[in-house]
Amino acid sequence: MDSKLSEDLADVAALLNLVSVEAGEVLRGLGERPVAMAPQPQRAAALPPAGHGLQRALSEFRRRWEPRFSGSAGPRYLGFVTGGATPAAIAGDWLTSVLDQNAMSGEDSAATELERETIDWIGELFGLAEHTGAFVTGATMSNFVGLAVAREWLGEQLGLSVAEDGAGALGQVSVLSGTPHSSIFKSLSMLGIGRSSMRSVPTLPDREAVDVDRLADALAELSGRPAIVVANAGTVNTVDFDDLRAIAALRQRFPFWLHVDGAFGAFAALAPEHAHLVDGLAEADSVCIDLHKWLNVPYDAAVQFTRRQDLQVRAFRNSAAYLTAPTGTPDFGHLVPENSRRLRALTAWFTLTAYGRAGHRDIVQRNISCAAQLGAELTATGRFRLLSPVRLNVACFTLADRPTPERVRALVAAIADSGETFVTPTVYNGIPAIRAAFSNWRTTAADASRAAAAISRAAEGLR
C-alpha cells in the first residue's frame, strides 16, 4: 500500500476530526458567507506526482478552493429552487460515504431495505401509499423514469413493447402539458420520443395552470389514440398548480398516462393550509418529487413514484447470469437507469428520523411565509410589482418602471455582486422578471427582510 495511504489509514480518526472541524467552521459561517461569488479563474495546479496525504490536501483545499465557494446552502440563496442540508442530512451523507454501499441489490446488505423504508415514509408524506418508488439523482431523472414508464404504457396500449421494439414502433406520440419544465423536453429527447412531440395546451388567463377544458379538447382531437399528459404541481416561475383531480377525471373519457411533476410543489401537502393544491396527486400514474430542494438533503436526491412497477421493470430490466432476476420485489437495478447506485436514501432517512413530519412541515410553512413577506416588502417600496400572487414559496416580480431585459439583467447582477442574496432572472407573460425561491431550512423572517433590502438597494443604483 502507498505510504501516504498507510499513514492516513493509521491516523484516520484524527484526520476526519480535522475535516469535521473544517466543516463546522463552514457551517457556522454560512449565514455571513457571500451568497454569490463571481468566478475568478485561477491557473490549474499540476497533478502531484506523489501524494501529499489527507492533511496537506485539506490545507490546499482551504487555501485554494473553499474561500471561492458561494453560500448557496445558506439562508438567503433564493435562486433556482435550492435547499440546503439539515444537520441530520449532513450526518447521513457522511455515513453514506463511509459505508459506501452500492444500493442496487439486497443480496449482501440492508441498503435496499433502508431505501424501501425511506420511500414508504416519503410516500406517506405525499399520500402515495399505493405507489412504488425508487431514489434517483434529481428531478430530471425522476421525470425521465416516469416518462420511460409512460412510454412502456403507450406500447402496452398498442400491443407492443417499446423496450424490445424501440420507440419508433410507437409511431407519432402526443405529450400534452400547459407549462412543462425544461427537464420534460430533455427527457423526451433522451427517450427517443422527441421534443417536438410536446403539444402545448393553453393555460388559464394570467395563470400557468392548464385549462382543463382545452386539455379535454386536445385529447378529443386524438380520436382515442393514447397519449401522455404532464401535469404540474408547482411551476417554476409562479408555483402554479394544475387541477390534478379534474385532469385525472378526464381518463374516464380519454386514454392517457398522467405524469405529475411535483418536484418541489408537492411539498404543499405538508402545510395544512396549502394541501388542497395537491388534491388528486395520488391519482397520478407517475410522480416526480425532488428531495435536494425542499427536503433539504444534499445534492443529489429525488424520488420517482409509479403505479406500474411491472412496466418500470420492463423498461429498466438489467439481466445477466450474475444478477438477481426481477421477480417478487425487484432490485433497484431493474427500476432505474443506474446500476451503480449511491445509498442516497440515507440522507433522507436521517433527516426524516431526526425531525419527522412536524419539523419538515415547519420548514415548508416558514419558507412560504418568507416568500409572502419578501413580496410584500418589495412592493411596499414602490420600485417593484408582483407579476403573480405569491402562491407558495416563490415571489415572481419585476421593476415597476421600465422592466427592460437590460435593466433586469443589470439588477440581477447588482444583487449578486452585493453578496447579500442571489436571485435568478426569468420571463413571465413576455415580461422580463426576477424570481426568488425559498426552500432553505435556515431561512427566517429576518433573512427575508435582509434580502428585500439588498434587492431594493440594488434597484436604487439602476439607470
Side-chain angles (χ1 to χ4, degrees), residues 56 60 69 97 114 135 182 217 220 222 241 249 293 309 376:
R56 170 79 178 275
E60 282 292 289
F69 287 174
S97 295
L114 181 143
F135 271 76
S182 62
D217 293 341
L222 299 179
F241 289 77
K293 292 182 169 66
Q309 190 177 76

Side-chain angles (χ1 to χ4, degrees), residues 80-97:
F80 310 104
V81 186
T82 301
T86 64
I90 292 171
D93 197 49
W94 286 4
L95 289 172
T96 298
S97 295

Side-chain angles (χ1 to χ4, degrees), residues 21 37 49 53 62 68 102 111 159 171 194 197 215 220 246 252 255 278 309 327 332 336 355 372 375 391 413 431:
V21 169
M37 300 187 71
R62 293 186 65 175
R68 299 166 59 200
N102 183 1
S197 64
L215 176 61
Q252 299 173 15
V278 290
Q309 190 177 76
T327 57
F332 288 109
V336 294
Y355 313 119
R391 295 186 180 89
I431 300 172

Side-chain angles (χ1 to χ4, degrees), residues 373-391:
Q373 176 188 334
L374 180 81
E377 291 189 12
L378 289 177
T379 54
T381 67
R383 296 189 181 93
F384 305 97
R385 62 185 177 94
L386 292 175
L387 294 178
S388 175
V390 180
R391 295 186 180 89

Side-chain angles (χ1 to χ4, degrees), residues 42-48 60 64-65:
Q42 296 181 0
R43 177 178 295 184
L47 173 69
E60 282 292 289
R64 297 186 58 231
W65 295 106

Side-chain angles (χ1 to χ4, degrees), residues 324-343:
T324 305
T327 57
T329 301
D331 287 338
F332 288 109
H334 299 297
L335 298 175
V336 294
E338 306 94 345
N339 290 340
S340 300
R341 303 178 69 244
R342 192 172 193 263
L343 182 55

